[in-house]
Amino acid sequence: MSLTPKENNLSLSKFESMLKTNSVYFFDSIEFEEIIHYYLESGKNSLAKKAINLGLKQHPNSVMLKLLHAELLIFDDEFDKASLILKELQALEPTNEEIYVQQASICSKKDNHAGAINLLKIALTYTDDEVDVLSLIGMEYLYLDNFTEARLNFAMCLDVDYEDYSSLYNVIYCFDMENKHLEAIDYLNAYINKDPYSEVAWHQLGRQYFILEKFKEALRAFDYAVLIDEYFVGAYLEKAKTLEELKNYNEAIENYKATIELDDPTSFVYLRIAECYKNLNKRASAIQFYKKAVQEDPLLDRGWLAMTDLYIKDKKYNKALFYINKAIEIDDQNALYWRVYAEINLKLNFFEEAVKAFEECISLQDFDLRIWLGISDVLCFLGEYEDALAYLLKAKLYFKDFAEIEYRLGSLYFKFKNYKKGAKHLNEGLTIDFEYHTIIEELFTDVFKMKKVSDIINSFKKTS
């Protein structure tokens, strides 16, 4: 028999008064249990320990107090001491399910999950609260990645308590981990047949359809979820994502905005609204919500990058440069950001900065052909031909028989008056892709005008 809230408050006040005055008051064992539970739930373990010590002095034979003592010892990883107490209690009360639950907790903390399951199965034979024990068994199977057995135990929780939504979520989680989305849909439909007004089940059903890219079915399920519970933020969010997939951006925006009205705004929601406006070609509104996203989360580099892309499309390169710098400040190990940085600097004729960006890409193992060509072309423009040659030779290690590289190498060797190597690479380029030789005229006009080069091109043209 537990204490009433009023009695509990009096017991707590009396206990804390006793601690302050160093007096010793008498409490019955139930009062001690309530005091200890209160401190444990409040995270005040040191006070819980004081209450246990005093409680056991006044009630040395109390099984419940000893169980609470064992629980605290387990929390502090003092497994041997806890095991001794539990072994003594098991001899006294072999049908007390809490003893086996705590012994299972020790096994679980020692990564002996199979042992924990065996002990919990014993507890299950003695308990009046099957749901709690079945749920613990399910969790132990999850630790073993045995999703089938875990799911079966969580499903049994629902057989006992149909509104145990925590177990419902766990059942569906197990289906997800097994990639059994059709089976999850069947399970949820059966659940809904018994409880058609379960917004949680409709929400989970929508999620499964979404995973399978059955967006119309997903939308119907999320519609039911928000009809049943108009304050269900998660359902509005999933509905909005589904509407995005169906390219119904205006309605998606409405549902994203509904989540803001019901709960604190998040950078994710602002970002999605911005993306919807972008897809509707409403640039000003998109920028407005991208800015809200990064204000909500200044470390949201994806938001800074999105604004950069919009300003690049609008040819507002100075603004684009400002925003890509923000993204790089957050993550300077992202090669994509350095690529974009290089692109913007080229548009602004900041060639040294573009070279720096390409070098960063290469140092980050971004060996895309466009990076190698980009840095070599910029270096050539700057007159740093030897450095350009060095990068092209490195590129050739990764890209064999690419005309883009061969023509550039040939042109540089001709520029250095190494006609033998120049002719070799020029011929290789012509063999791979004759039409592409116009790149020489575009990048190396002086080389293209050389008689040696025109002779090779004309000779190749005649023989091909």
Side-chain angles (χ1 to χ4, degrees):
M1 177 180 175
S2 62
L3 300 173
T4 65
K6 186 176 179 181
E7 289 172 326
N8 194 25
N9 286 336
L10 286 171
S11 299
L12 278 168
S13 299
K14 182 181 168 185
F15 182 78
E16 290 183 357
S17 171
M18 180 190 74
L19 292 178
K20 288 175 185 175
T21 60
N22 288 324
S23 305
V24 178
Y25 303 144
F26 180 82
F27 299 85
D28 65 35
S29 62
I30 294 174
E31 284 180 300
F32 272 119
E33 288 170 31
E34 295 289 341
I35 291 166
I36 294 161
H37 279 299
Y38 171 80
Y39 285 137
L40 288 174
E41 287 165 9
S42 304
K44 298 176 180 177
N45 287 6
S46 59
L47 288 172
K49 287 176 185 176
K50 287 181 180 179
I52 284 172
N53 289 333
L54 186 61
L56 286 171
K57 283 179 183 176
Q58 294 186 6
H59 306 280
N61 297 320
S62 169
V63 171
M64 276 308 300
L65 290 178
K66 287 181 179 179
L67 279 169
L68 287 167
H69 187 203
E71 185 179 333
L72 262 175
L73 288 168
I74 294 168
F75 182 84
D76 290 337
D77 292 341
E78 296 188 49
F79 302 134
D80 292 340
K81 289 180 181 178
S83 293
L84 281 173
I85 293 170
L86 293 169
K87 194 172 182 181
E88 290 171 7
L89 292 175
Q90 188 177 351
L92 293 171
E93 294 191 4
T95 61
N96 187 328
E97 78 276 9
E98 185 60 28
I99 295 167
Y100 301 102
V101 168
Q102 290 203 25
Q103 287 175 329
S105 178
I106 293 171
C107 285
S108 184
K109 287 199 169 199
K110 289 182 173 181
D111 292 329
N112 179 8
H113 301 296
I117 289 166
N118 289 333
L119 286 160
L120 288 168
K121 285 180 177 178
I122 296 170
L124 192 61
T125 62
Y126 298 126
T127 188
D128 293 325
D129 191 356
E130 291 183 2
V131 171
D132 277 357
V133 179
L134 286 167
S135 181
L136 289 171
I137 294 171
M139 290 306 298
E140 293 300 323
Y141 277 119
L142 282 183
Y143 292 134
L144 293 170
D145 291 337
N146 187 336
F147 300 110
T148 301
E149 285 298 326
R151 174 168 49 80
L152 291 172
N153 278 276
F154 291 127
M156 283 191 276
C157 293
L158 288 164
D159 290 339
V160 178
D161 179 3
Y162 211 66
E163 293 185 356
D164 179 9
Y165 289 137
S166 175
S167 291
L168 179 60
Y169 282 123
N170 283 327
V171 167
I172 304 308
Y173 171 78
C174 292
F175 276 126
D176 282 344
M177 295 305 293
E178 295 175 292
N179 288 317
K180 292 184 176 179
H181 304 295
L182 292 173
E183 290 88 341
I185 287 169
D186 289 340
Y187 185 89
L188 286 162
N189 277 323
Y191 187 99
I192 287 166
N193 284 338
K194 294 180 184 177
D195 184 4
Y197 296 104
S198 169
E199 71 277 16
V200 173
W202 281 111
H203 173 255
Q204 290 296 301
L205 181 61
R207 276 190 62 257
Q208 295 303 312
Y209 280 127
F210 187 94
I211 292 167
L212 295 174
E213 298 184 358
K214 295 185 176 183
F215 300 119
K216 288 182 180 178
E217 291 88 340
L219 183 60
R220 174 176 170 271
F222 293 133
D223 273 335
Y224 277 118
V226 296
L227 277 170
I228 295 164
D229 182 358
E230 60 182 321
Y231 301 106
F232 194 169
V233 175
Y236 282 110
L237 189 62
E238 296 293 342
K239 183 182 174 184
K241 286 163 61 179
T242 306
L243 287 162
E244 266 198 87
E245 294 291 341
L246 293 168
K247 302 191 185 321
N248 190 340
Y249 300 115
N250 283 311
E251 202 174 336
I253 289 167
E254 287 176 22
N255 280 271
Y256 281 127
K257 286 183 176 179
T259 70
I260 295 170
E261 291 170 11
L262 293 170
D263 201 358
D264 292 334
T266 65
S267 58
F268 173 81
V269 169
Y270 284 142
L271 191 66
R272 294 318 317 157
I273 293 173
E275 290 288 317
C276 288
Y277 278 125
K278 178 184 170 185
N279 287 320
L280 290 167
N281 206 27
K282 294 183 177 180
R283 297 285 181 88
S285 295
I287 290 289
Q288 177 191 350
F289 278 91
Y290 281 132
K291 285 181 177 177
K292 286 187 176 186
V294 295
Q295 282 168 5
E296 191 68 32
D297 180 6
L299 298 179
L300 185 69
D301 43 347
R302 188 177 163 194
W304 298 112
L305 180 64
M307 281 191 283
T308 302
D309 288 340
L310 278 181
Y311 283 121
I312 289 173
K313 285 173 184 172
D314 290 341
K315 297 184 178 179
K316 295 178 179 177
Y317 300 117
N318 282 308
K319 283 192 173 183
L321 185 61
F322 172 80
Y323 288 114
I324 196 60
N325 270 313
K326 289 284 188 182
I328 289 171
E329 282 172 20
I330 295 163
D331 182 6
D332 63 0
Q333 299 299 300
N334 190 318
L336 171 62
Y337 300 165
W338 286 107
R339 277 199 197 199
V340 176
Y341 182 80
E343 177 191 345
I344 296 166
N345 278 287
L346 286 175
K347 295 290 185 183
L348 291 168
N349 294 330
F350 298 160
F351 299 112
E352 288 85 357
E353 284 299 312
V355 169
K356 172 191 167 187
F358 286 130
E359 287 173 343
E360 288 288 347
C361 289
I362 291 168
S363 73
L364 293 169
Q365 309 295 304
D366 183 357
F367 296 149
D368 189 283
L369 180 60
R370 288 169 294 179
I371 303 296
W372 297 105
L373 298 181
I375 194 168
S376 67
D377 289 349
V378 176
L379 287 167
C380 285
F381 181 81
L382 293 171
E384 297 176 19
Y385 299 111
E386 290 185 2
D387 288 342
L389 179 65
Y391 276 110
L392 286 168
L393 290 172
K394 287 179 185 176
K396 198 166 164 56
L397 297 173
Y398 301 97
F399 298 95
K400 309 286 186 186
D401 302 324
F402 275 75
E404 295 95 322
I405 296 173
E406 299 301 338
Y407 281 122
R408 286 171 170 84
L409 280 172
S411 298
L412 282 170
Y413 279 122
F414 274 113
K415 204 167 189 66
F416 294 143
K417 296 184 170 52
N418 189 336
Y419 301 122
K420 184 177 179 182
K421 282 191 175 181
K424 173 179 175 289
H425 287 289
L426 177 55
N427 274 300
E428 285 179 7
L430 292 165
T431 303
I432 297 164
D433 185 345
F434 176 81
E435 298 299 329
Y436 192 68
H437 77 270
T438 54
I439 194 71
I440 304 173
E441 184 178 14
E442 185 181 327
L443 296 178
F444 303 93
T445 308
D446 56 336
V447 172
F448 189 73
K449 291 177 180 177
M450 286 182 181
K451 188 174 185 304
K452 289 178 183 293
V453 172
S454 58
D455 286 347
I456 292 170
I457 293 171
N458 291 329
S459 171
F460 193 92
K461 194 174 184 179
K462 286 177 185 176
T463 58
S464 60

